[in-house]
Every structure is written in structure tokens, then in C-alpha cells.
Amino acid sequence: MVKAGLEDIVAASSSICDVNGTEGRLIYCGYDISDLADNSTFEEVVYLLWYGRLPTKTELETLTKGLQANRRIPEDVVKAMKAYPKDALPMEVLRTAVSMLSMYDKEAEDKGREPNVRKAIRLTAQIPTIVAYWDLIRNGKEVVAPKEDCSLSHNFLYMLSGGKEPDAVAVRSLDIALILHADHELNASTFAARVAAATETDIYSAITAAIGTLKGPLHGGANQEVIKMLLEIGSLANVEPHLEKMFAEHKKVMGFGHRVYKTTDPRAANLRRMSEALGKQMGDTKWFDMSAKIEEIVKADKGLNANVDFYSASVYYMLGIPTDLYTPIFAISRMSGWAAHVLEQYANNRLIRPRADYTGERNLKYVAIDKR
Ligand code: ACO
């Protein structure tokens, strides 16, 4: 008897990330996620995931420079984006533009770790540009050239605002959010990337598959559904009646539940603290208070814990990020984990090709169409 959704199936050996669902612990290459969120930067975590250890100062500088120098996207891609329908979903745009990038990369089909690391650097550097540019383009604004002297988080917020310097709290908050979303073992999009990579297709194809998979509301798309729900609820007083109605209608509460975590998602715990701190700093804890109340009720009534997508929604909202960019921001971060897994898959590859438990008919005889 096959358990639906490959539940509990171990489908790969990996030294990148471990999710301990009973203890609610998440580690990247041996380091606890909270330790990294408190002390590290997104760039350093990218190095950790790709090389399996923390970088020296020089190694970090080299990777950071690579990520800074590759932020521009080909002019043809910008032109194509300008021709997309203005109501295209940011995740549709990201999926299509990333797929297009491969045609402008002379190394697109080159195999081996070195060219693939270079491609991973370019993709990690260019995805934030695509996301920010799309928001400018669809709003009829001019795109701004990326800055090359700052962190990925800083530059993303800079481009998104059309060229304004972001404040330090916003930059650090986004950076921590990116650290927390960077990898998560064989989540659906990473699995999709590994399945694609295992056919020995190029990294652009693998990342395109991953982006299309992350888009789904049961995966990365949930953070956008969470903010929709918070906005619909509108006030702390309305939380209880709104949830009662949802429960009565057997609706899922987005941002809750997880296939692996049977206790608190450690990423949610970090983002919860961040949501509260941001609210206090801004003198308005409404979104945090509402979220905390929802968490309390869903836990008490349904026994479900908040996942990473729940508190990231209020954090991004307080940072002033357009709500349909929440999932693309997840992609900006998860690109690092996807690349780590694609590199690991290429390094020790075997085609991923499971079997299905056939439940259909057998031994039927073909019947001519006029006799059916
Ligand atoms: N709200 C209400 N009920 C829920 C929720 C929820 N968010 N999540 C699970 N349940 C219920 C299910 O209806 C099911 O109940 P039943 O046994 O009475 O049918 C039971 O809990 C078990 O849930 P499954 O759907 O079987 O759990 P599964 O492991 O397949 O799914 C998933 C996990 C997809 C995350 C699910 O909890 C869900 O849909 N959550 C909402 C979407 C979401 O937040 N996704 C983001 C996940 S984190 C990430 O991908 C980054």
C-alpha cells in the first residue's frame, strides 16, 4: 500500500540540510538555523550550502563579489518582460524569465561543478533583479540598474523602490528571512529540481521546474494566501469569528500544518519574533497581534502549528513589500538551496525514476469505436 504524497519516503542521501520534525530543529550543513539567523548573512549561508562549510573571509568576499557583479539581466530579457501582460503573476514572470536566461548564457549546457557554480551565482544574482524589475515594469516605472556595492537584500530593496536607499532594519530583516528560507531538504520544489537535474538537463531547466513547483499554494504560494487572509480579517476582534467560519466551511488555514514538522517549525518561531519586533519598532503591532491570535486558535482547535509561511507574511507586509511578491522572495532565497541540491545531484547522479502501484484494469480487449 503506497502512502500518498511520498510521505516519510527517503528519496536521496544529502549532506546539505536536516529537518528534525519531532524536535522542530533545522540545520544547514551542521549549523542550527537560529544560530545562522542571529549571526550570519544570506551570502555566507549561500556559501555554506554550496560548499558544505563556512567560508573564510577571502572566500566570502570572492562569492559576494561574484553575486554583486552578475546582477544585471540581458537587455533582451528586460525587453521581453516589458511585453508581458501587465497582470501576469510575478511567479509566472519569474518562471518564464529564468527559463529565458539560459538562452543568453554561453555556458548553459556546460557540465561539471565549476561551470554550474558560475551559473548558480548568475541565477542567484539575477533572480532578485527579475522580481524587482517586474514590479517596476507592471507599474509603468523605469527599471534601475542594480547596485554592486551592497548585499543582495540591500540591492533588492533598493531596486524594488525604484532606486531609494533602504533602511538598515528592513535590510537586516529581509536578510534574516532569506537565511531562514534558504533550504529545506527534499521539499516539493527542491525535489522537482533534483528530478530534473537527475536527467542531466541543465541547471536553468531544473530551476525553472523548481520555480513552477514553489508557486503552488500548498508550498511557497501559501505566504501570499496568509496575507490575503490577514487583510480579509482586518482586525484583532474579527479573528475569532473569521476562523470559526473557516472551520465551519472546512477551509484550510494557510500557513499552518507541515508534512514533516509535528511541532513548531523553527523558521516560524524565528519569524514570529521578527514580526513582533518589527511591529514594536514601527509602533503598530496589529498584524503581529492578529497573527498570534490566529496561531493560538488554530493550535487549540486543530492542533496545527504555524509553518514558515505564516509569520513571513506579516514581516513582509510591515516591510512594505507588495503582497504578490512574497512567493518570489521565497524563490530569491530558495534559489540557494535549489542550486546546492542540483550540484549535489550532478556530483553523484542516477536518474530518479520511481514506480507507480498500478490500480487500473488489465487484459482488456480493444473494441472498435463504433461498437462502444
Ligand atoms: N488548515 C486546516 N486543516 C489542515 C491544514 C490547514 N492548514 N493542514 C492540514 N490540515 C488537516 C488536513 O485537512 C488533514 O485533515 P484530515 O485528516 O481530517 O483530512 C490533516 O490536517 C492532515 O493534513 P494533510 O493535508 O494530509 O497533510 P499533508 O502533509 O499532506 O500537507 C500541507 C501538508 C500541504 C503543508 C498542509 O498542512 C497544508 O495544506 N497547509 C496549508 C498550506 C501551507 O501553509 N503550505 C505551506 C507549507 S510550508 C512550505 O511549503 C514552505
Side-chain angles (χ1 to χ4, degrees):
M1 181 59 180
V2 176
K3 261 200 208 173
L6 297 180
E7 184 174 348
D8 292 333
I9 300 291
V10 175
S13 294
S14 175
S15 58
I16 301 167
C17 174
D18 185 44
V19 181
N20 185 324
T22 41
E23 284 176 23
R25 263 197 96 191
L26 169 60
I27 57 170
Y28 297 163
C29 306
Y31 297 91
D32 192 279
I33 189 83
S34 301
D35 194 8
L36 294 169
D38 288 346
N39 298 302
S40 187
T41 62
F42 179 61
E43 280 79 357
E44 194 173 41
V45 166
V46 172
Y47 190 100
L48 175 66
L49 294 172
W50 293 358
Y51 294 90
R53 61 171 176 81
L54 287 173
T56 63
K57 205 160 176 270
T58 318
E59 286 166 340
L60 180 58
E61 268 168 25
T62 306
L63 178 66
T64 303
K65 282 202 181 113
L67 289 168
Q68 290 170 336
N70 284 286
R71 287 176 177 161
R72 286 170 193 263
I73 55 175
E75 203 40 51
D76 281 357
V77 176
V78 180
K79 264 195 217 142
M81 286 172 68
K82 285 182 177 164
Y84 295 166
K86 296 288 174 282
D87 59 353
L89 300 175
M91 284 300 279
E92 290 180 293
V93 168
L94 185 61
R95 186 190 61 211
T96 304
V98 163
S99 179
M100 190 175 174
L101 283 179
S102 77
M103 294 183 275
Y104 295 85
D105 188 335
K106 290 198 165 48
E107 289 192 305
E109 291 295 324
D110 289 3
K111 303 206 185 302
R113 183 171 165 93
E114 289 312 311
N116 278 310
V117 168
R118 287 196 290 275
K119 285 180 266 185
I121 290 174
R122 289 197 276 278
L123 275 160
T124 309
Q126 290 172 326
I127 284 178
T129 309
I130 294 170
V131 176
Y133 276 19
W134 179 243
D135 196 55
L136 295 170
I137 290 169
R138 68 177 172 174
N139 287 307
K141 297 184 183 157
E142 282 302 311
V143 298
V144 292
K147 275 167 78 85
E148 293 185 3
D149 59 352
C150 60
S151 70
L152 184 146
S153 302
H154 184 126
N155 174 60
F156 174 68
L157 292 173
Y158 166 84
M159 288 190 298
L160 189 61
S161 69
K164 289 193 204 91
E165 282 302 320
D167 78 63
V169 172
V171 172
R172 181 61 190 153
S173 301
L174 179 61
D175 210 54
I176 295 173
L178 297 187
I179 292 171
L180 294 171
H181 286 81
D183 195 41
H184 211 233
E185 197 219 44
L186 285 195
N187 61 90
S189 56
T190 302
F191 188 55
R194 285 191 82 127
V195 170
T199 69
E200 294 187 0
T201 190
D202 66 288
I203 191 169
Y204 287 96
S205 299
I207 300 304
T208 303
I211 294 170
T213 309
L214 184 73
K215 175 174 169 284
L218 295 189
H219 189 11
N223 57 12
Q224 294 182 193
E225 299 301 319
V226 172
I227 194 64
K228 261 192 219 159
M229 175 177 74
L230 286 172
L231 292 168
E232 220 175 290
I233 295 176
S235 69
L236 188 58
N238 199 27
V239 167
E240 220 168 321
H242 190 95
L243 284 181
E244 268 170 24
K245 189 163 172 281
M246 283 183 80
F247 294 159
E249 290 169 358
H250 302 288
K251 283 194 178 150
K252 272 193 173 176
V253 189
M254 301 312 264
F256 285 87
H258 199 274
R259 175 63 62 76
V260 185
Y261 292 119
K262 299 304 166 213
T263 180
T264 309
D265 177 336
R267 304 166 299 174
N270 276 278
L271 286 158
R272 186 187 203 279
R273 284 194 291 279
M274 208 157 69
S275 171
E276 186 173 22
L278 268 177
K280 281 185 180 155
Q281 258 162 23
M282 290 174 171
D284 181 6
T285 56
K286 173 183 168 174
W287 302 107
F288 170 75
D289 295 340
M290 280 171 62
S291 304
K293 184 83 189 159
I294 295 170
E295 187 186 19
E296 186 193 310
I297 295 175
V298 175
K299 177 81 188 162
D301 277 46
K302 299 280 168 198
L304 292 166
N305 295 291
N307 61 48
V308 69
D309 286 322
F310 187 63
Y311 280 102
S312 62
S314 51
V315 165
Y316 297 152
Y317 194 73
M318 285 187 265
L319 293 181
I321 292 168
T323 55
D324 60 357
L325 297 191
Y326 295 7
T327 313
I329 288 175
F330 195 153
I332 287 174
S333 164
R334 187 55 61 83
M335 174 59 220
S336 58
W338 292 331
H341 282 270
V342 168
L343 292 168
E344 191 180 58
Q345 185 67 41
Y346 284 150
N348 188 15
N349 190 47
R350 190 161 187 233
L351 180 77
I352 298 172
R353 201 295 187 199
R355 293 296 314 271
D357 175 29
Y358 179 69
T359 58
E361 304 262 19
R362 290 181 197 274
N363 303 322
L364 299 179
K365 283 275 174 262
Y366 183 80
V367 180
I369 197 159
D370 55 342
K371 299 258 165 59
R372 284 174 219 160

